[in-house]
Amino acid sequence: MDHAPTYTRAQPLGVLGQLAPVLPVVLLVALLALPVPAEAGEGGGTGSPADAFSALVVGLALLHVVRTARRPLTRRAAVILGLPVVGITAAACASASAATGLAGAARYLQVFVLVPAAVLVLIRNARQFRLLAWAFVGLALFQGALGVHQNLTGTGASYMGEDIRAVGTFGPTDVMGMATVVSYGFVAALALAFRPDAPRQRAAALTCAGLLTVPLALSFSRGAWIATAVACGVVLLLAGVRRALRAALAATAAAVVLVAGLGMGSQLLQERLSSITQVTDAPDQSVTDRYAMWAASVDMWRDRPVTGVGLKGFPEHRDSHASLALSSGSDTAGAGAEFRRQPLLSPHNMYLLILSEQGLLGLLTLAGGWLALLVCAVRAWARVRRPGRRPSGAGDLDCALAACGLLVWQLVDFMYADIGGPSTVLTAVALGGCAWWGLRPRDSYEECETYETYETHAVYEACETYDVGAPNVTAGAR
């Protein structure tokens, strides 16, 4: 009897073959390290290389489905990822013009449906998910290092009259871009530090998490700080009390040494932190504008409670619903750009943006899908933590923590931010990675030790046959 050839993980060609499907997604993340074109950041529009490449990733995922001749999504995944299409379509039809509705629908479908589904299809196992998580960390380290350099040399975005705000390559028109990237990297690194039986990965991940505290602080983004604190709390809680305490002590020590010890912007950081608790007593103009736009969003929803004012309709209806406290725009300067007045085109709250432009239908389909995805991710974490239930997944704790942490970060950050700008494509990739963890079949066997195609039991249906230069022979063939 001739047995199928096996290719172990130690062989470089075999490892490359196993990682090949997710490499386009990793390249998509890497493209966010390129300088953002000036026109791509204006008004939160698209046009960056990463946005263009995301369409190619969707096409590659489609080709992958055709080549493998497998059902790309489970029924549950299709429902959760496809549910937003209902609200998006209804809001597009309610838009003031067909062109505006189509442009808005394309953006929403890209970020919340197509790219996440493509990432879900291309990720096949925990090793590939870890590679994507490390890509987040690598991008965060690059953007964070550039942000720290901007702060130290006074070449960042303008903040309190000084060009010290760390924005990376995203420029002053997308000040949340670097904060989002660094936050993703920080949460991913913290989660990767809990991989069982991998001391080198744990040490490297903790070191990266400690380094990323500096650019995260220098981003001066209160929303990113709050979301990161909540997400890290969730990760530590899900990891277990003992390991959580050790990680918390290590992160605190790193933060004290790198931030307080080096004195990087300590006074401005203290003022920024204290402003979080003063938003109702003595808010600055940015907080006042945000409150005014939040109230305007609710007022728009009251006018059209079911479908909202239509996609991209917030700027058109803003002035007729906002109070006189709203300013004409925000000032942006620094990081290689001249002073300009940036118009306020969104309420800086994703939930209220959906409510105003898509109504209750859009909020229930989009936010409801995110909540369902979080429930699925937590349930998958519970199966990993449950002793004796799934031994093959016992080593996937870091994947569970990364998926849950990134999703919690995004849901909390959406209270202070919305989609817009080149960094938005990273949100779509993160949602796709979280979807892989929460929506993959329970009985799938993603951690294939070899590249054989198993046909003897349904539990092995998730294993793929990879052509690595030798003929594919099914197990047990004569």
Side-chain angles (χ1 to χ4, degrees):
M1 178 183 297
D2 295 330
H3 294 282
T6 60
Y7 303 92
T8 63
R9 292 174 177 169
Q11 295 175 314
L13 188 59
V15 173
L16 181 61
Q18 187 181 20
L19 297 178
V22 79
L23 291 182
V25 185
V26 174
L27 180 57
L28 175 60
V29 174
L31 286 176
L32 289 171
L34 298 177
V36 176
E39 61 274 10
E42 296 178 358
T46 60
S48 68
D51 280 303
F53 191 77
S54 67
L56 180 60
V57 171
V58 174
L60 291 175
L62 182 60
L63 289 177
H64 181 73
V65 171
V66 174
R67 181 180 65 84
T68 56
R70 295 174 48 206
R71 187 175 67 178
L73 302 174
T74 63
R75 185 179 295 106
R76 180 177 55 176
V79 170
I80 293 179
L81 292 180
L83 194 60
V85 177
V86 178
I88 294 171
T89 303
C93 296
S95 299
S97 66
T100 301
L102 288 176
R107 184 61 163 167
Y108 272 92
L109 290 176
Q110 173 205 12
V111 176
F112 298 119
V113 179
L114 297 178
V115 175
V119 175
L120 171 59
V121 168
L122 293 175
I123 297 178
R124 302 311 311 162
N125 52 53
R127 172 176 288 190
Q128 294 177 0
F129 181 83
R130 290 190 185 100
L131 177 63
L132 181 60
W134 278 110
F136 281 10
V137 177
L139 177 63
L141 289 173
F142 172 79
Q143 294 285 0
L146 182 57
V148 172
H149 178 266
Q150 291 172 336
N151 175 269
L152 295 177
T153 59
T155 57
S158 179
Y159 177 78
M160 301 293 289
E162 301 180 63
D163 294 342
I164 58 173
R165 188 168 191 174
V167 292
T169 62
F170 296 99
T173 58
D174 187 16
V175 294
M176 281 295 296
M178 193 213 74
T180 300
V181 168
V182 172
S183 299
Y184 277 158
F186 184 88
V187 175
L190 181 62
L192 290 169
F194 290 101
R195 181 181 178 183
D197 303 324
R200 292 183 179 180
Q201 174 174 303
R202 292 199 300 268
L206 281 176
T207 301
C208 293
L211 293 174
L212 289 174
T213 57
V214 178
L216 180 61
L218 298 179
S219 69
F220 296 105
S221 174
R222 292 170 293 197
W225 293 347
I226 295 173
T228 302
V230 175
C232 290
V234 170
V235 169
L236 295 177
L237 179 64
L238 297 180
V241 177
R242 292 182 179 178
R243 285 183 289 186
L245 289 176
R246 289 198 297 266
L249 290 175
T252 302
V256 170
V257 172
L258 295 174
V259 179
L262 298 179
M264 295 182 176
S266 57
Q267 182 177 356
L268 291 176
L269 286 175
Q270 292 176 2
E271 294 176 357
R272 191 66 167 173
L273 283 171
S274 62
S275 67
I276 296 177
T277 60
Q278 298 172 353
V279 292
T280 56
D281 299 332
D284 55 31
Q285 185 59 47
S286 65
V287 176
T288 301
D289 289 340
R290 183 164 300 186
Y291 285 165
M293 290 188 292
W294 287 4
S297 301
V298 176
D299 202 32
M300 294 178 198
W301 165 70
R302 288 172 180 169
D303 288 347
R304 299 182 184 179
V306 180
T307 59
V309 298
L311 296 179
K312 291 185 174 291
F314 181 87
E316 181 180 350
H317 295 80
R318 179 198 61 195
D319 294 337
S320 60
H321 293 82
S323 65
L324 296 177
L326 181 65
S327 65
S328 59
S330 59
D331 299 334
T332 61
E338 297 181 355
F339 174 85
R340 62 174 297 176
R341 193 73 172 168
Q342 190 75 10
L344 302 175
L345 303 178
S346 69
H348 297 292
N349 182 305
M350 191 64 201
Y351 305 107
L352 291 179
L353 178 63
I354 297 172
L355 187 66
S356 61
E357 294 189 344
Q358 302 183 38
L360 280 176
L361 181 61
L363 185 64
L364 290 176
T365 54
L366 263 175
W370 300 334
L371 183 60
L373 182 57
L374 179 60
V375 171
C376 293
V378 174
R379 291 180 62 185
W381 162 82
R383 291 196 297 271
V384 170
R385 293 285 292 178
R386 193 176 306 166
R389 179 63 182 271
R390 188 187 173 207
S392 62
D396 296 345
L397 178 61
D398 56 331
C399 299
L401 298 180
C404 294
L406 290 173
L407 189 54
V408 168
W409 186 94
Q410 193 60 70
L411 296 182
V412 174
D413 184 70
F414 273 161
M415 297 179 183
Y416 309 96
D418 48 53
I419 61 173
S423 60
T424 300
V425 71
L426 193 64
T427 299
V429 174
L431 290 175
C434 299
W436 168 80
W437 172 257
L439 301 178
R440 61 179 180 171
R442 290 187 183 184
D443 57 351
S444 62
Y445 188 80
E446 289 90 353
E447 287 291 347
C448 303
E449 297 294 336
T450 68
Y451 294 99
E452 299 174 351
T453 300
Y454 295 87
E455 296 179 345
T456 57
H457 198 280
V459 75
Y460 300 117
E461 290 179 355
C463 296
E464 298 182 24
T465 301
Y466 289 86
D467 183 5
V468 292
N472 294 314
V473 183
T474 55
R478 292 176 173 82

